[in-house]
Amino acid sequence: TSASSVSGTGKSTNTRETSSSVVIAVPGVTSVSVPYAGQQIAVEVAPLNGLIPLNGAGADLLAALLRVAGGLAPAPAQALATALVEWRDGRPAGDAAGADARQRQFEAPEDLLLVPGVDYALYARLAPLVSADLGGASRVNPQAAPPGVLAVLAQGDQGRVARFVDQRTGGQPGGADASGFQPAFVSTGGTDLYRLQARVPLEAGKILLLTRDVALGATYSRTAPWRILRTERQIAAHPG
């Protein structure tokens, strides 16, 4: 069956209901104002498939990530991307060979540090743009992607990123035009995985940046219609 939902552009989109979850067909970024501690807090909700999937992305997409966001030259970026895929698809030490042997996989963005060639400075540039919770997904939903990921999809062309963000923010009919991005990197499929982010003002000009990734659906938990995948708290200077 189908229902209606509100996307990040404020437009109505079709959704597909299953026995375990609701998958938004054309998801985007949206913001919800939530009362908290006597003030209104903006909570941004974005489908997690706007991030680069560590466990499904091909070497070309990872190389673009390493080049555009990581700052590596093309040849080292391609070599390290190949190393990431080989590490991810290899078997953990001690696992038996055979048809049932499991791949190592990234369990969290921090696992990037286990791959030779990834130091902390490089990891810190990549971590906000990737997810290890997207399974075998290999492409990115640009309607839900943050600007850093859009830059990767645009091969570093910031003009294309700016035009796309303007269209997405303005609610262009039919969605923002993603034709300026590398087609092999792009998908508009739905997901039941979401990232919630809130900036909570603190004293002395500080803010608490709270990030929580969740999976929606009855199959993820016996006690709630969602499961918390990971939570991150960071205190930063207030941008104002």
Side-chain angles (χ1 to χ4, degrees):
T1 59
S2 64
S4 180
S5 179
V6 177
S7 74
T9 61
K11 302 294 182 179
S12 180
T13 62
N14 291 327
T15 64
R16 174 173 54 84
E17 296 183 10
T18 69
S19 60
S20 60
S21 62
V22 177
V23 179
I24 300 179
V26 186
V29 181
T30 190
S31 184
V32 180
S33 183
V34 178
Y36 177 77
Q39 54 189 321
Q40 293 296 123
I41 303 297
V43 179
E44 183 181 272
V45 182
L48 208 58
N49 64 0
L51 300 177
I52 292 173
L54 283 178
N55 286 314
D60 288 344
L61 177 52
L62 293 174
L65 170 69
L66 291 164
R67 182 174 58 82
V68 175
L72 301 186
Q78 191 66 53
L80 185 52
T82 300
L84 291 175
V85 172
E86 290 176 350
W87 187 94
R88 175 190 75 195
D89 295 346
R91 291 192 303 273
D95 267 20
D100 296 331
R102 63 188 179 92
Q103 295 176 327
R104 183 183 284 114
Q105 301 284 280
F106 292 102
E107 294 184 3
E110 292 85 348
D111 285 350
L112 287 168
L113 292 166
L114 299 175
V115 181
V118 179
D119 59 16
Y120 188 83
L122 177 58
Y123 158 77
R125 294 193 292 271
L126 305 181
L129 310 180
V130 302
S131 172
D133 295 311
L134 290 164
S138 61
R139 301 187 182 192
V140 177
N141 171 20
Q143 304 296 338
V149 172
L150 293 175
V152 174
L153 302 182
Q155 300 282 1
D157 188 331
Q158 293 296 337
R160 290 181 179 178
V161 173
R163 288 191 295 272
F164 182 86
V165 171
D166 286 345
Q167 293 173 2
R168 187 172 69 180
T169 304
Q172 176 170 300
D177 181 12
S179 62
F181 300 140
Q182 174 59 252
F185 298 164
V186 171
S187 172
T188 56
T191 183
D192 53 4
L193 307 177
Y194 291 85
R195 171 162 290 180
L196 286 69
Q197 282 193 323
R199 290 172 172 82
V200 182
L202 302 175
E203 297 179 353
K206 303 289 186 180
I207 61 168
L208 170 64
L209 177 60
L210 178 62
T211 302
R212 178 164 289 179
D213 294 347
V214 300
L216 302 182
T219 60
Y220 292 113
S221 171
R222 295 182 179 179
T223 59
W226 62 76
R227 178 168 65 90
I228 297 173
L229 301 174
R230 62 190 70 255
T231 298
E232 179 180 343
R233 296 176 175 87
Q234 180 181 359
I235 295 178
H238 196 288

